[in-house]
Every structure is written in C-alpha cells, then in structure tokens.
Amino acid sequence: MIDIHCHILPGIDDGSPDMETSLEMARMAATDGIRTIIATPHLASAEYPKEKLLEALAELNAQIKNHGIPLTILFGAEVQAHIALEAADSFCLAGSSSLLVEFPHSYLPADSEDLIYSLVTNKITPIIAHPERNGQISRELWLLAPLIELGAKTQLTAESITGELGMTAKNCADYLLQKRQVHYIATDSHSPGFRKPILSKAVKQAARIIGKTEAQKLVSGYNILLPPSA
Ligand SMILES: [Fe+2]
C-alpha cells in the first residue's frame, strides 16, 4: 500500500517532532503493509526552501534503511489552497503532476472552482485533502461534485472511514464512497497516536461499500507513482 499524505518528516511541521517518532511511525506503517509513504508537510508559503525538505527526507530514508524497515519515503507537501498555483511547480507529489491541496477546515472558499479550473488548465491534478473533515462540505455534501467534474481528485482520511474521527466525518466519508467521489485514502498521520499511520482498517471498511478491488485501488498511488516495471 501507498500512503500519499503523511506528516512523517521529523521537526518540519506539527507532525513528527523528532527522528525517533518518525521511525516509530515508519515501523507501524510497514507492519500494516505500507511500503511507500509520500511525506507531505504543511506548506503555507510557496517560497519555502524545498532543499530543507529534501535534506530531512534523505536523512529519514537513511535511518529507515539503517533500521531495516521495508519502507520508502518520497517527497511531497500539503499545500494550502491560497498558494496552490505558485507552489504547483515545485511541490507536486513524488515528481508527478498531482498536487495535494488543503482548503480551510471550516468552509470552502468561494473561488474554489476557479482554483481547480486554473490548476487543471495548467496540467496540474489537484487532490483535495480530507474533504470529509471540511465543515461546510460535511453539511452540504453536494459541494464536492462540481470540483470533481472540473478535474479535482479527492483524498479521504483513513480514520474518518473507520469512524475514529467521529460520526460527522464518517457519515460524509461513507456518502462520498457511495457516490464514487473518492480517489485516494491516506492516513494524514501526525504521530504514532494522532491519526495513526495505518491504512488496512480503512481499506477493509471501504471495501464494504465499494468492493475490495476498488478499495485497494485507493491505496495504490495510481496516477501518482509509476507501476513497478515488470
Ligand atoms: Fe495533513
């Protein structure tokens, strides 16, 4: 499995505070069957020095290898919507043309459709992070469909699907799965205990709604990572 949204880089944002915590997250993820994680620290400025993230990424991968954990961490970011257009050149996921975009948590900005349209026109595929935890979308469930029609993809949080983040998020997640408006499931893990780096439980739960094959596709990193060569 591939986790496309995880705050595993040590000491960068409000995710893992140090290498020890990152390694514990890596062990948990690997035990769950996750083999690739895209590290997605919060990004609030398109001017953020990318080199700093790449250095932290290289150090984490080296430590993971030293500890014999079967996991690879790739580069990415969780980009706030207001800087998405400027950040798209440098902060797409794992060298793809997909950009993980974070809208404000309580509402959907009035210019959201314009933003999605602009990104798609610039050949960037926006992946909307955890729409089921957005206050407005969870009340007005129909708001996501026009953004998807414009070309946006969506990423649900694993613990929303399992119900661990409360019934509002779960009800919205179930609705979006039923409507086939979900393209990825990811952990959005911040530590071994805060949104755990575990996908398998959510995949099992999603399979009850959309079937096993479709549920597994949501954690395969399709359209972001190239399939392994034969
Ligand atoms: Fe996140």
Side-chain angles (χ1 to χ4, degrees):
M1 294 184 288
I2 294 166
D3 185 8
I4 70 159
H5 182 170
C6 185
H7 299 262
I8 193 170
L9 285 189
I12 296 290
D13 63 358
D14 61 342
S16 168
D18 48 41
M19 184 60 75
E20 193 184 337
T21 306
S22 296
L23 289 173
E24 179 59 21
M25 292 168 75
R27 276 188 210 97
M28 285 176 74
T31 301
D32 192 50
I34 295 169
R35 290 292 171 266
T36 304
I37 287 176
I38 303 180
T40 51
H42 294 286
L43 199 76
S45 165
E47 305 302 315
Y48 190 93
K50 187 174 175 179
E51 306 76 46
K52 191 176 168 190
L53 300 183
L54 290 170
E55 275 170 29
L57 183 73
E59 175 63 17
L60 177 56
N61 271 320
Q63 291 287 337
I64 284 173
K65 198 173 174 194
N66 285 347
H67 285 77
I69 303 168
L71 184 73
T72 303
I73 315 294
L74 302 176
F75 174 83
E78 180 179 18
V79 175
Q80 291 188 0
H82 70 278
I83 59 155
L85 276 168
E86 303 97 286
D89 277 347
S90 303
F91 293 98
C92 277
L93 299 178
S96 71
S97 57
S98 292
L99 187 72
L100 185 64
V101 178
E102 178 180 36
F103 282 114
H105 282 203
S106 58
Y107 69 100
L108 201 56
D111 63 353
S112 297
E113 288 192 19
D114 292 342
L115 172 64
I116 298 299
Y117 179 80
S118 299
L119 287 166
V120 171
T121 305
N122 281 294
K123 300 199 182 331
I124 300 295
T125 302
I127 300 177
I128 299 172
H130 42 68
E132 83 286 358
R133 286 161 42 206
N134 178 285
Q136 189 176 1
I137 293 174
S138 66
R139 287 190 306 273
E140 302 169 37
L141 297 168
W142 56 88
L143 286 177
L144 208 50
L147 302 180
I148 294 171
E149 276 164 30
L150 284 170
K153 307 295 180 194
T154 66
Q155 170 260 306
L156 293 191
T157 313
E159 290 193 355
S160 296
I161 296 170
T162 59
E164 289 161 278
L165 300 182
M167 286 315 293
T168 304
K170 177 168 175 49
N171 289 339
C172 185
D174 285 352
Y175 171 90
L176 297 175
L177 285 165
Q178 280 155 12
K179 291 286 183 186
R180 302 298 192 271
Q181 290 177 355
V182 181
H183 304 91
Y184 300 96
I185 298 171
T187 67
D188 193 8
S189 179
H190 281 61
S191 76
F194 178 41
R195 291 202 286 271
K196 295 177 284 297
I198 287 175
L199 285 171
S200 59
K201 277 169 72 179
V203 172
K204 252 186 215 164
Q205 181 61 33
R208 294 189 183 137
I209 299 173
I210 58 175
K212 193 174 171 184
T213 305
E214 279 303 303
Q216 287 174 338
K217 186 181 175 191
L218 303 186
V219 292
S220 69
Y222 73 102
N223 286 349
I224 297 174
L225 301 180
L226 293 172
S229 49

